[in-house]
Amino acid sequence: MGPEAPLADGIVDYFQGIGIPIFGSTKAATEIESSKVFTKELMQKYNIPSARSTSFSDYNQAKEYVQRQTPPIVVKADGLAAGKGVIIADSIPQTLDALDEIMQSRAFGTAGDRVVIEECLSGEEMSAFAFSDGTTVIPMVAACDYKRVYDGDQGPNTGGMGSYSPPHFFNPTLASTVKETIMEPTIKAMAQEKRQYKSVLYSGLMVTGNGPKVLEFNARFGDPEAQVTLPLLKTDLIDILVAVINGNLNQIDVEWSHDACVGVVMASAGYPGSYKTGFPISGLDKLDKDILVFHAGTTLDSEGQVLTNGGRVLTIVATGSTLAEAREKVYSNLPRIHFEGCHYRKDIAEIKRKK
Ligand code: AMP
Ligand code: GLY
Protein backbone atom coordinates (compact mmCIF):
# COMPACT_ATOMS: atom_id res chain seq x y z
CA MET A 1 0.00 0.00 0.00
CA GLY A 2 1.50 3.29 -1.07
CA PRO A 3 0.13 6.74 -0.32
CA GLU A 4 -0.16 7.92 3.27
CA ALA A 5 -3.83 8.95 3.19
CA PRO A 6 -5.39 5.47 2.77
CA LEU A 7 -2.88 4.03 5.26
CA ALA A 8 -3.88 6.67 7.82
CA ASP A 9 -7.53 5.92 7.09
CA GLY A 10 -7.02 2.25 7.97
CA ILE A 11 -7.06 0.44 4.62
CA VAL A 12 -4.65 -2.19 5.97
CA ASP A 13 -6.91 -2.90 8.98
CA TYR A 14 -9.80 -3.23 6.55
CA PHE A 15 -8.02 -5.79 4.35
CA GLN A 16 -6.88 -7.72 7.42
CA GLY A 17 -10.46 -7.71 8.69
CA ILE A 18 -11.71 -9.45 5.56
CA GLY A 19 -8.76 -11.83 5.37
CA ILE A 20 -6.87 -10.44 2.37
CA PRO A 21 -3.09 -10.30 2.84
CA ILE A 22 -1.76 -6.75 2.47
CA PHE A 23 1.69 -5.18 2.85
CA GLY A 24 1.40 -1.93 4.77
CA SER A 25 1.12 -0.48 8.26
CA THR A 26 -2.10 -0.50 10.27
CA LYS A 27 -3.88 2.74 11.13
CA ALA A 28 -2.37 2.71 14.63
CA ALA A 29 1.14 2.09 13.28
CA THR A 30 0.75 4.72 10.53
CA GLU A 31 0.57 7.37 13.24
CA ILE A 32 4.35 7.34 12.99
CA GLU A 33 3.78 9.36 9.81
CA SER A 34 0.35 10.88 10.38
CA SER A 35 1.06 12.48 13.77
CA LYS A 36 4.27 14.38 14.37
CA VAL A 37 3.29 14.94 18.02
CA PHE A 38 2.87 11.19 18.56
CA THR A 39 6.21 10.47 16.92
CA LYS A 40 8.13 13.13 18.82
CA GLU A 41 6.76 11.74 22.09
CA LEU A 42 7.71 8.22 21.02
CA MET A 43 11.26 9.30 20.18
CA GLN A 44 11.61 11.17 23.47
CA LYS A 45 10.31 8.21 25.50
CA TYR A 46 12.62 5.67 23.80
CA ASN A 47 15.70 7.89 23.35
CA ILE A 48 15.65 7.86 19.56
CA PRO A 49 17.86 10.73 18.34
CA SER A 50 15.88 13.68 16.97
CA ALA A 51 15.76 17.48 17.14
CA ARG A 52 14.85 18.97 20.55
CA SER A 53 11.19 19.90 20.44
CA THR A 54 8.01 20.83 22.29
CA SER A 55 4.42 20.20 21.18
CA PHE A 56 1.45 22.52 21.63
CA SER A 57 -2.31 22.34 21.20
CA ASP A 58 -2.82 25.85 22.60
CA TYR A 59 -2.00 28.71 20.22
CA ASN A 60 -1.21 31.26 22.95
CA GLN A 61 1.14 28.91 24.77
CA ALA A 62 2.91 28.14 21.49
CA LYS A 63 3.24 31.87 20.77
CA GLU A 64 4.71 32.59 24.17
CA TYR A 65 7.17 29.70 23.81
CA VAL A 66 8.32 30.89 20.38
CA GLN A 67 9.20 34.31 21.78
CA ARG A 68 11.76 32.69 24.06
CA GLN A 69 13.52 30.72 21.27
CA THR A 70 16.47 31.58 19.06
CA PRO A 71 15.88 31.37 15.27
CA PRO A 72 16.03 29.52 12.97
CA ILE A 73 13.01 27.69 14.37
CA VAL A 74 11.16 24.79 12.75
CA VAL A 75 7.34 24.74 13.01
CA LYS A 76 5.49 21.57 12.01
CA ALA A 77 1.77 20.92 11.69
CA ASP A 78 0.94 17.70 13.56
CA GLY A 79 -1.03 15.95 10.84
CA LEU A 80 -0.66 15.06 7.17
CA ALA A 81 -0.14 18.12 4.98
CA ALA A 82 1.15 16.66 1.69
CA GLY A 83 4.72 17.59 2.58
CA LYS A 84 3.84 21.27 3.07
CA GLY A 85 3.29 21.36 6.83
CA VAL A 86 6.89 22.15 7.79
CA ILE A 87 8.12 25.74 7.93
CA ILE A 88 11.70 26.71 8.71
CA ALA A 89 11.53 30.27 10.03
CA ASP A 90 14.55 32.58 10.16
CA SER A 91 13.13 35.10 12.60
CA ILE A 92 10.62 35.33 15.47
CA PRO A 93 8.04 37.26 13.38
CA GLN A 94 8.32 34.64 10.63
CA THR A 95 7.87 31.86 13.21
CA LEU A 96 4.78 33.61 14.58
CA ASP A 97 3.42 33.90 11.03
CA ALA A 98 3.94 30.18 10.53
CA LEU A 99 2.16 29.44 13.77
CA ASP A 100 -0.68 31.69 12.73
CA GLU A 101 -0.98 30.04 9.34
CA ILE A 102 -1.11 26.54 10.86
CA MET A 103 -3.13 27.08 14.05
CA GLN A 104 -5.31 30.13 13.26
CA SER A 105 -5.81 30.34 9.49
CA ARG A 106 -5.88 26.54 9.39
CA ALA A 107 -3.88 26.31 6.16
CA PHE A 108 -3.73 22.53 6.64
CA GLY A 109 -7.14 22.03 8.29
CA THR A 110 -7.23 19.77 11.34
CA ALA A 111 -3.58 18.80 10.68
CA GLY A 112 -2.93 22.10 12.49
CA ASP A 113 -4.82 21.29 15.71
CA ARG A 114 -1.41 20.74 17.24
CA VAL A 115 2.09 21.86 16.32
CA VAL A 116 5.62 20.70 17.00
CA ILE A 117 8.20 23.44 17.45
CA GLU A 118 11.76 22.22 17.16
CA GLU A 119 15.38 23.21 16.86
CA CYS A 120 16.79 23.55 13.35
CA LEU A 121 19.38 20.88 12.59
CA SER A 122 22.15 21.22 10.05
CA GLY A 123 24.15 18.58 8.24
CA GLU A 124 23.61 16.21 5.32
CA GLU A 125 20.05 15.12 4.68
CA MET A 126 19.25 11.56 3.63
CA SER A 127 16.53 8.94 3.77
CA ALA A 128 16.99 5.49 5.30
CA PHE A 129 14.57 2.59 4.85
CA ALA A 130 14.07 -0.77 6.49
CA PHE A 131 11.71 -3.70 6.07
CA SER A 132 10.24 -5.03 9.30
CA ASP A 133 7.80 -7.76 10.25
CA GLY A 134 7.48 -6.19 13.70
CA THR A 135 10.57 -7.95 15.09
CA THR A 136 13.25 -8.44 12.45
CA VAL A 137 14.65 -5.27 10.87
CA ILE A 138 16.37 -5.44 7.47
CA PRO A 139 17.78 -2.17 6.10
CA MET A 140 17.31 -1.22 2.48
CA VAL A 141 19.83 0.87 0.56
CA ALA A 142 19.64 4.56 1.52
CA ALA A 143 18.83 7.49 -0.76
CA CYS A 144 18.81 11.27 -1.10
CA ASP A 145 15.70 13.10 -2.23
CA TYR A 146 15.49 16.54 -3.88
CA LYS A 147 12.40 18.31 -2.56
CA ARG A 148 12.69 21.79 -4.08
CA VAL A 149 11.42 22.41 -7.59
CA TYR A 150 14.46 24.21 -9.06
CA ASP A 151 18.18 23.54 -9.38
CA GLY A 152 20.33 24.49 -6.42
CA ASP A 153 17.42 23.71 -4.05
CA GLN A 154 15.53 26.86 -5.02
CA GLY A 155 11.78 27.43 -5.21
CA PRO A 156 8.90 25.77 -3.40
CA ASN A 157 8.81 22.23 -2.01
CA THR A 158 7.40 19.43 -4.15
CA GLY A 159 6.72 15.75 -3.55
CA GLY A 160 10.27 15.17 -4.82
CA MET A 161 11.96 16.10 -8.11
CA GLY A 162 14.58 13.39 -8.15
CA SER A 163 16.66 11.08 -6.00
CA TYR A 164 19.71 8.88 -6.00
CA SER A 165 21.10 5.93 -4.11
CA PRO A 166 23.32 5.46 -2.21
CA PRO A 167 24.04 8.92 -0.65
CA HIS A 168 27.61 9.96 -1.57
CA PHE A 169 28.53 10.31 2.13
CA PHE A 170 27.00 6.98 3.20
CA ASN A 171 29.33 4.34 4.67
CA PRO A 172 29.12 1.11 6.71
CA THR A 173 29.61 2.90 10.06
CA LEU A 174 26.77 5.30 9.35
CA ALA A 175 24.63 2.37 8.16
CA SER A 176 25.15 0.54 11.49
CA THR A 177 24.48 3.68 13.51
CA VAL A 178 21.21 4.25 11.65
CA LYS A 179 20.16 0.63 12.13
CA GLU A 180 21.15 0.39 15.79
CA THR A 181 20.15 3.82 17.09
CA ILE A 182 17.12 4.56 14.90
CA MET A 183 15.52 1.70 12.96
CA GLU A 184 15.71 -1.12 15.52
CA PRO A 185 14.76 0.99 18.56
CA THR A 186 11.80 2.47 16.65
CA ILE A 187 10.43 -0.95 15.64
CA LYS A 188 10.88 -2.11 19.26
CA ALA A 189 9.21 1.03 20.62
CA MET A 190 6.21 0.58 18.32
CA ALA A 191 5.81 -3.02 19.51
CA GLN A 192 5.97 -1.86 23.12
CA GLU A 193 3.33 0.75 22.40
CA LYS A 194 1.11 -2.04 20.96
CA ARG A 195 1.37 -0.57 17.48
CA GLN A 196 3.32 -3.38 15.87
CA TYR A 197 5.03 -2.02 12.77
CA LYS A 198 4.98 -4.41 9.80
CA SER A 199 5.92 -2.67 6.58
CA VAL A 200 8.75 -0.57 5.24
CA LEU A 201 9.83 2.21 7.58
CA TYR A 202 11.14 5.38 5.94
CA SER A 203 13.23 7.65 8.10
CA GLY A 204 14.11 11.16 6.93
CA LEU A 205 17.43 11.93 8.65
CA MET A 206 19.82 14.78 9.19
CA VAL A 207 23.37 13.50 9.60
CA THR A 208 24.70 16.07 12.07
CA GLY A 209 28.08 16.44 13.78
CA ASN A 210 26.48 14.42 16.60
CA GLY A 211 25.31 11.60 14.38
CA PRO A 212 22.10 10.95 12.46
CA LYS A 213 18.88 12.46 13.85
CA VAL A 214 15.32 11.80 12.76
CA LEU A 215 13.44 14.60 10.95
CA GLU A 216 10.39 12.48 10.19
CA PHE A 217 9.14 8.97 9.57
CA ASN A 218 7.00 7.84 6.66
CA ALA A 219 5.07 4.59 6.68
CA ARG A 220 5.89 3.63 3.07
CA PHE A 221 8.50 3.58 0.31
CA GLY A 222 9.08 7.19 -0.77
CA ASP A 223 8.29 8.68 -4.14
CA PRO A 224 10.72 9.13 -5.95
CA GLU A 225 12.96 7.16 -3.54
CA ALA A 226 11.34 3.81 -4.37
CA GLN A 227 12.31 4.33 -7.99
CA VAL A 228 16.04 4.45 -7.13
CA THR A 229 16.17 1.88 -4.31
CA LEU A 230 14.05 -1.01 -5.59
CA PRO A 231 16.01 -1.36 -8.88
CA LEU A 232 19.03 -2.20 -6.67
CA LEU A 233 17.19 -5.03 -4.92
CA LYS A 234 18.43 -8.43 -6.06
CA THR A 235 16.04 -10.52 -3.95
CA ASP A 236 12.49 -11.00 -5.19
CA LEU A 237 10.44 -8.18 -3.66
CA ILE A 238 7.36 -10.39 -3.38
CA ASP A 239 9.25 -12.86 -1.15
CA ILE A 240 10.10 -9.99 1.20
CA LEU A 241 6.57 -8.57 1.26
CA VAL A 242 5.09 -11.99 2.00
CA ALA A 243 7.65 -12.64 4.77
CA VAL A 244 6.78 -9.27 6.35
CA ILE A 245 3.08 -10.18 6.31
CA ASN A 246 3.73 -13.69 7.68
CA GLY A 247 6.18 -12.52 10.34
CA ASN A 248 9.13 -14.62 9.15
CA LEU A 249 11.41 -11.97 7.68
CA ASN A 250 14.30 -13.56 9.63
CA GLN A 251 14.22 -16.39 7.08
CA ILE A 252 14.89 -14.11 4.10
CA ASP A 253 18.32 -13.16 2.84
CA VAL A 254 17.88 -9.71 1.35
CA GLU A 255 20.58 -8.84 -1.18
CA TRP A 256 21.35 -5.47 -2.75
CA SER A 257 23.43 -4.54 -5.74
CA HIS A 258 26.42 -2.27 -5.09
CA ASP A 259 25.53 -0.17 -8.13
CA ALA A 260 24.30 3.42 -7.97
CA CYS A 261 20.93 4.55 -9.19
CA VAL A 262 19.70 8.01 -10.24
CA GLY A 263 16.10 9.10 -10.89
CA VAL A 264 14.92 12.40 -12.35
CA VAL A 265 11.29 13.52 -12.30
CA MET A 266 9.81 15.19 -15.38
CA ALA A 267 7.06 17.58 -14.30
CA SER A 268 4.31 19.62 -15.94
CA ALA A 269 4.73 23.38 -16.46
CA GLY A 270 3.52 25.13 -13.32
CA TYR A 271 4.04 22.21 -10.93
CA PRO A 272 3.98 22.31 -7.85
CA GLY A 273 1.47 25.11 -8.49
CA SER A 274 -1.42 24.70 -10.93
CA TYR A 275 -0.73 23.02 -14.27
CA LYS A 276 -2.49 21.81 -17.43
CA THR A 277 -2.69 18.19 -18.53
CA GLY A 278 -3.44 16.28 -21.74
CA PHE A 279 -0.20 17.01 -23.65
CA PRO A 280 1.22 14.18 -25.80
CA ILE A 281 4.50 12.68 -24.56
CA SER A 282 6.96 11.80 -27.30
CA GLY A 283 10.25 9.92 -27.31
CA LEU A 284 9.45 7.16 -24.83
CA ASP A 285 10.48 4.67 -27.53
CA LYS A 286 13.80 6.44 -28.14
CA LEU A 287 15.49 5.53 -24.86
CA ASP A 288 18.41 3.18 -24.31
CA LYS A 289 17.30 -0.32 -23.34
CA ASP A 290 18.48 -0.16 -19.74
CA ILE A 291 16.61 3.05 -18.86
CA LEU A 292 13.59 2.62 -16.57
CA VAL A 293 10.59 4.90 -17.01
CA PHE A 294 8.10 5.09 -14.14
CA HIS A 295 4.76 6.59 -15.11
CA ALA A 296 2.96 8.65 -12.46
CA GLY A 297 0.86 11.41 -14.05
CA THR A 298 0.14 9.84 -17.44
CA THR A 299 -2.85 8.43 -19.29
CA LEU A 300 -3.60 6.90 -22.70
CA ASP A 301 -5.95 8.46 -25.24
CA SER A 302 -8.23 6.35 -27.46
CA GLU A 303 -5.44 5.95 -30.04
CA GLY A 304 -2.94 4.69 -27.49
CA GLN A 305 -0.95 7.95 -27.33
CA VAL A 306 0.57 8.64 -23.90
CA LEU A 307 -0.61 11.99 -22.49
CA THR A 308 0.37 13.97 -19.40
CA ASN A 309 -2.15 13.62 -16.59
CA GLY A 310 -0.57 15.02 -13.44
CA GLY A 311 2.05 17.30 -11.91
CA ARG A 312 4.87 14.81 -11.58
CA VAL A 313 4.54 12.99 -14.89
CA LEU A 314 7.45 10.52 -15.21
CA THR A 315 10.54 9.43 -13.30
CA ILE A 316 13.44 8.45 -15.54
CA VAL A 317 15.90 6.08 -13.85
CA ALA A 318 19.30 4.62 -14.68
CA THR A 319 21.71 2.43 -12.78
CA GLY A 320 25.48 2.41 -13.21
CA SER A 321 28.55 1.09 -11.49
CA THR A 322 29.18 4.63 -10.19
CA LEU A 323 26.91 7.53 -9.39
CA ALA A 324 28.54 9.56 -12.17
CA GLU A 325 27.80 6.82 -14.70
CA ALA A 326 24.16 6.47 -13.64
CA ARG A 327 23.78 10.23 -13.73
CA GLU A 328 25.30 10.52 -17.19
CA LYS A 329 22.95 7.82 -18.50
CA VAL A 330 19.82 9.54 -17.15
CA TYR A 331 20.76 12.97 -18.43
CA SER A 332 21.76 11.74 -21.88
CA ASN A 333 18.36 10.02 -22.29
CA LEU A 334 16.12 12.69 -20.77
CA PRO A 335 16.24 15.17 -23.70
CA ARG A 336 14.80 12.46 -25.97
CA ILE A 337 11.49 12.67 -24.07
CA HIS A 338 9.31 15.69 -24.63
CA PHE A 339 5.94 17.16 -23.72
CA GLU A 340 4.81 20.77 -23.80
CA GLY A 341 6.15 22.73 -20.85
CA CYS A 342 8.05 19.80 -19.34
CA HIS A 343 10.66 20.69 -16.76
CA TYR A 344 13.13 18.77 -14.67
CA ARG A 345 16.08 19.46 -12.43
CA LYS A 346 19.52 19.33 -14.03
CA ASP A 347 21.41 18.82 -10.78
CA ILE A 348 20.12 15.53 -9.40
CA ALA A 349 23.02 13.49 -7.97
CA GLU A 350 25.49 16.24 -8.81
CA ILE A 351 27.85 16.05 -5.88
CA LYS A 352 29.43 19.34 -4.91
CA ARG A 353 32.09 18.66 -2.33
CA LYS A 354 31.93 21.14 0.52
CA LYS A 355 34.93 23.45 0.70
P1 AMP B 1 9.62 16.70 7.24
O1 AMP B 1 8.35 16.64 6.44
O2 AMP B 1 9.43 16.66 8.71
O3 AMP B 1 10.70 15.76 6.75
O4 AMP B 1 10.25 18.13 6.91
C1 AMP B 1 10.41 18.57 5.58
C2 AMP B 1 11.80 19.10 5.39
O5 AMP B 1 12.05 20.16 6.30
C3 AMP B 1 12.89 18.08 5.67
O6 AMP B 1 13.15 17.29 4.54
C4 AMP B 1 14.05 18.96 6.05
O7 AMP B 1 14.71 19.46 4.91
C5 AMP B 1 13.39 20.10 6.76
N1 AMP B 1 13.39 19.92 8.22
C6 AMP B 1 12.44 19.30 8.97
N2 AMP B 1 12.76 19.34 10.28
C7 AMP B 1 13.94 19.99 10.36
C8 AMP B 1 14.81 20.36 11.45
N3 AMP B 1 14.52 20.09 12.71
N4 AMP B 1 15.95 21.01 11.15
C9 AMP B 1 16.26 21.33 9.87
N5 AMP B 1 15.50 21.02 8.82
C10 AMP B 1 14.35 20.36 9.05
N1 GLY C 1 9.73 12.02 -1.45
C1 GLY C 1 9.22 12.13 -0.15
C2 GLY C 1 8.09 11.26 0.18
O1 GLY C 1 7.77 10.31 -0.52
O2 GLY C 1 7.47 11.52 1.20
Side-chain angles (χ1 to χ4, degrees):
M1 191 63 223
E4 59 275 24
L7 286 167
D9 282 345
I11 193 167
V12 169
D13 311 62
Y14 179 78
F15 271 60
Q16 288 171 347
I18 55 174
I20 300 178
I22 182 167
F23 175 86
S25 48
T26 59
K27 184 179 168 95
T30 302
E31 269 202 51
I32 203 156
E33 172 165 5
S34 64
S35 171
K36 293 198 190 285
V37 172
F38 163 78
T39 303
K40 289 306 288 197
E41 283 169 2
L42 185 87
M43 291 191 287
Q44 277 157 11
K45 184 167 166 191
Y46 293 91
N47 288 318
I48 296 159
S50 175
R52 263 185 295 109
S53 76
T54 314
S55 305
F56 296 91
S57 52
D58 184 275
Y59 171 70
N60 288 317
Q61 278 175 15
K63 224 168 119 177
E64 198 181 295
Y65 174 83
V66 161
Q67 267 141 354
R68 290 183 274 118
Q69 304 306 306
T70 315
I73 305 166
V74 183
V75 184
K76 301 184 173 185
D78 174 50
L80 295 176
K84 300 190 186 94
V86 174
I87 298 160
I88 301 175
D90 291 323
S91 65
I92 301 282
Q94 218 185 340
T95 316
L96 293 172
D97 284 349
L99 209 54
D100 217 63
E101 198 189 331
I102 296 172
M103 295 190 94
Q104 299 288 95
S105 316
R106 295 294 171 139
F108 312 109
T110 54
D113 284 351
R114 297 186 289 176
V115 290
V116 170
I117 298 176
E118 68 180 31
E119 73 175 312
C120 189
L121 300 173
S122 55
E124 300 267 20
E125 210 178 320
M126 60 165 278
S127 308
F129 313 85
F131 294 109
S132 180
D133 60 1
T135 313
T136 302
V137 176
I138 300 187
M140 291 179 52
V141 288
C144 284
D145 174 27
Y146 291 73
K147 292 197 167 75
R148 302 295 193 98
V149 67
Y150 302 128
D151 287 11
D153 292 328
Q154 302 298 308
N157 267 327
T158 69
M161 292 298 288
S163 57
Y164 75 91
S165 174
H168 70 95
F169 50 86
F170 206 60
N171 59 55
T173 312
L174 180 55
S176 327
T177 309
V178 170
K179 184 175 187 218
E180 287 157 22
T181 68
I182 293 167
M183 294 303 196
E184 288 174 340
T186 303
I187 297 296
K188 226 180 243 171
M190 291 295 276
Q192 272 179 358
E193 295 295 312
K194 309 230 172 337
R195 293 170 190 260
Q196 190 189 44
Y197 194 90
K198 293 171 72 141
S199 181
V200 57
L201 181 64
Y202 167 147
S203 174
L205 304 174
M206 189 72 86
V207 182
T208 71
N210 293 320
K213 298 192 180 188
V214 176
L215 300 175
E216 64 162 346
F217 285 112
N218 293 324
R220 51 190 172 79
F221 296 107
D223 175 9
E225 294 89 332
Q227 293 92 311
V228 297
T229 52
L230 294 179
L232 300 176
L233 179 60
K234 288 192 184 165
T235 311
D236 190 331
L237 178 63
I238 296 295
D239 291 345
I240 301 171
L241 305 189
V242 171
V244 165
I245 294 170
N246 293 338
N248 56 7
L249 189 59
N250 60 348
Q251 288 167 25
I252 302 271
D253 197 12
V254 179
E255 275 190 88
W256 297 94
S257 147
H258 295 293
D259 284 348
C261 196
V262 175
V264 178
V265 171
M266 298 186 83
S268 294
Y271 175 81
S274 60
Y275 52 83
K276 290 190 189 138
T277 60
F279 298 112
I281 304 173
S282 63
L284 290 169
D285 54 348
K286 302 276 184 300
L287 305 178
D288 295 345
K289 289 272 174 297
D290 56 349
I291 300 294
L292 292 167
V293 177
F294 293 92
H295 288 238
T298 66
T299 189
L300 287 176
D301 71 8
S302 54
E303 269 115 60
Q305 166 67 48
V306 183
L307 305 177
T308 65
N309 194 36
R312 289 191 293 168
V313 176
L314 302 164
T315 309
I316 316 302
V317 172
T319 51
S321 57
T322 63
L323 202 54
E325 186 191 323
R327 181 171 197 279
E328 203 282 320
K329 277 196 202 173
V330 173
Y331 279 111
S332 61
N333 277 270
L334 265 164
R336 302 180 203 170
I337 306 175
H338 183 75
F339 53 88
E340 193 175 315
C342 79
H343 66 97
Y344 57 87
R345 279 183 63 158
K346 312 284 186 299
D347 64 345
I348 305 301
E350 182 181 74
I351 310 308
K352 292 203 183 89
R353 305 278 167 194
K354 285 190 179 142
K355 295 212 178 91

